[in-house]
Amino acid sequence: MYLKKYIALLSTAFSFMMLISCNSSSSTENKTTTANTEGGTEKLRIAVIPKGSTHSFWKSIHAGAVKAGQETGAEIIWQGPQKEDDRQMQIQVVQNFISQGVDGIVLAPLDDRSLATPVNAAVKRDIPVVIIDSDLQSKEYSSFVATDNKMGGKLCAQRLAELLGGKGKVIMLRYSEGSASTAEREAGFLEGMKEYGPNIELISTNQYAGATMEKAFQASQNLLNRFPQVEGVYCPNESSTQGMLRALQTSGKAKKVKFVGFDANATLIAGVQNGEIHGLAVQNPFMMGYEGVKTIVAVVKKENYEKRVDTGVKLVTQENINQPEVQELINPDLDKWLNQ
C-alpha cells in the first residue's frame, strides 16, 4: 500500500514538472517571437558576411545592406573577419549564424572552395544563401550578386594597351589564391591583352600581392626591383592597387609607368586625379550590398528574384573623373547609412 502511494506521488510530481517545463518553453518561444517582431509582423534576421572589414569596399557594401534592410524591414547582422585572408574565421562566422538560426545569409566568400561546405550546411538547415562579390564552387546558393569581373579585367587590358600604344613590357600582380572574383579579373585582363595588345610582352603574371596593403607593397617593390624595364602595370583589387601605387611612388616611377588598377578609395582616387594611376575599374559595392539583401529577403519570402544580378563596372580615368555619375559612384554617402 505504501508502495502504491509512493508511486502515485512520484507520478504526480513528474506530471507537475513536465507542466512547468512546457510552460517555460512556451514562455521562451513567446519572448523570442516578441523580440523578433515589429508591428505584429515577424522581422527577418539577415546575416551579411564580408570578406573583411578594413577596406572601404566593404564599408560601402555594409551601407547598401543597411539601406535594403530598412526598406524591407529586415534586421541586418554584419559580421566578418578583419583580414581578407582569414578563411577559418569566416567559416566560423557562417557556422555561428547557422547555429543562431538566422533567416538568411548574404556571403562574400573568401575562398571559392573552403566556404562551399558551410554554405551547403546552411541550405540543408533551410537557411538560404545569396553570394555576393566573389563566386563559390557550390550549386546550393540561391543567387549571385556581383560585378562582371572578367569584363572589368578586359576593360583594364584595353585601357593599358591604349596607353602603351600596343607595345611594351607589362606586369600583372595577382591578388590571392582562392579568390574567385580577382581570378576572373586576372583572366579577363590576360584575355584582353591577347585581343588589344598582342605585341605587348607580359614579363610577370604569377606573383601574388596577399591580403593586406603592406604585403602588396612589399610584393610590388620586389617586382619593380626585378623588372626595372617595366612600362605598364595592372592590379586586380583595392589593396594590391594601393600597395603598387605606394611602391611606384617610393621608387620614383609613379606617372612614368602606365598603371591601371581595380576598386576605389580616397588614396586611389587621388592617384587618378594627379596622374599616377591611369585607370581604375570601379565597381558598385553599395549596390552589391543593397541587391544582396533585397534578393535574400525575396528568397526567404518566396518571391520572384534573379539568379544572377550584375551590379556593373566603370573605368574611371583622369578625363571622366569629374562627371556627375562617376562622382556619385566613387563618393557614396556612407555616413547616411552607417552612422544612424
Side-chain angles (χ1 to χ4, degrees), residues 55 83-85 175 209-217 239-240 243:
H55 297 156
K83 294 184 179 180
E84 293 183 28
D85 59 356
Y175 168 56
T212 66
M213 196 274 284
E214 191 59 38
K215 289 181 179 179
F217 172 58
S239 57
S240 61

Side-chain angles (χ1 to χ4, degrees), residues 144-327:
F144 181 41
V145 179
T147 305
D148 185 338
N149 288 298
K150 184 166 283 190
M151 177 57 68
K154 291 190 74 171
L155 285 174
C156 290
Q158 183 177 20
R159 173 67 173 170
L160 192 55
E162 290 172 353
L163 290 166
L164 293 171
K167 59 182 180 180
K169 300 181 184 298
V170 168
I171 286 171
M172 177 179 75
L173 176 60
R174 295 178 183 268
Y175 168 56
S176 179
E177 292 184 272
S179 171
S181 58
T182 51
E184 285 289 297
R185 297 170 202 168
E186 293 152 9
F189 179 79
L190 294 175
E191 286 183 15
M193 272 302 166
K194 290 180 181 178
E195 183 177 350
Y196 305 117
N199 296 321
I200 290 177
E201 181 184 358
L202 294 166
I203 56 178
S204 177
T205 62
N206 62 358
Q207 298 301 300
Y208 288 87
T212 66
M213 196 274 284
E214 191 59 38
K215 289 181 179 179
F217 172 58
Q218 294 171 2
S220 299
Q221 280 188 314
N222 292 338
L223 280 172
L224 295 178
N225 289 333
R226 282 178 58 195
F227 302 103
Q229 72 275 32
V230 64
E231 297 167 271
V233 175
Y234 167 65
C235 296
N237 84 315
E238 181 181 344
S239 57
S240 61
T241 301
Q242 188 165 337
M244 178 60 75
L245 173 62
R246 182 178 161 197
L248 288 167
Q249 291 169 336
T250 57
S251 67
K253 294 181 178 180
K255 297 186 180 182
K256 299 175 185 177
V257 173
K258 304 302 180 184
F259 180 28
V260 178
F262 225 102
D263 291 331
N265 61 29
T267 299
L268 301 183
I269 293 304
V272 173
Q273 291 170 327
N274 64 29
E276 294 178 324
I277 298 177
H278 302 91
L280 278 179
V282 178
Q283 305 177 80
N284 194 335
F286 185 92
M287 187 59 63
M288 205 176 294
Y290 177 83
E291 291 292 346
V293 169
K294 294 278 278 192
T295 301
I296 193 65
V297 169
V299 173
V300 174
K301 292 184 175 181
K302 302 189 185 305
E303 299 172 348
N304 292 332
Y305 63 92
E306 299 292 329
K307 296 287 290 183
R308 174 69 171 95
V309 180
D310 182 0
T311 51
V313 60
K314 186 173 183 64
L315 191 71
V316 176
T317 67
Q318 198 174 43
E319 292 74 31
N320 69 8
I321 195 168
N322 291 319
Q323 294 177 1
E325 62 270 22
V326 174
Q327 283 295 311

Side-chain angles (χ1 to χ4, degrees), residues 101-115:
V102 295
D103 295 293
I105 294 174
V106 177
L107 170 69
L110 264 171
D111 189 285
D112 60 345
R113 292 186 179 183
S114 61
L115 270 298

Side-chain angles (χ1 to χ4, degrees), residues 81-115:
Q82 183 175 8
K83 294 184 179 180
E84 293 183 28
D85 59 356
D86 198 341
R87 292 167 176 79
Q88 192 56 44
M89 175 57 72
Q90 193 180 49
I91 290 171
Q92 290 176 11
V93 171
V94 176
Q95 292 172 335
N96 287 341
F97 280 128
I98 294 172
S99 299
Q100 292 177 32
V102 295
D103 295 293
I105 294 174
V106 177
L107 170 69
L110 264 171
D111 189 285
D112 60 345
R113 292 186 179 183
S114 61
L115 270 298

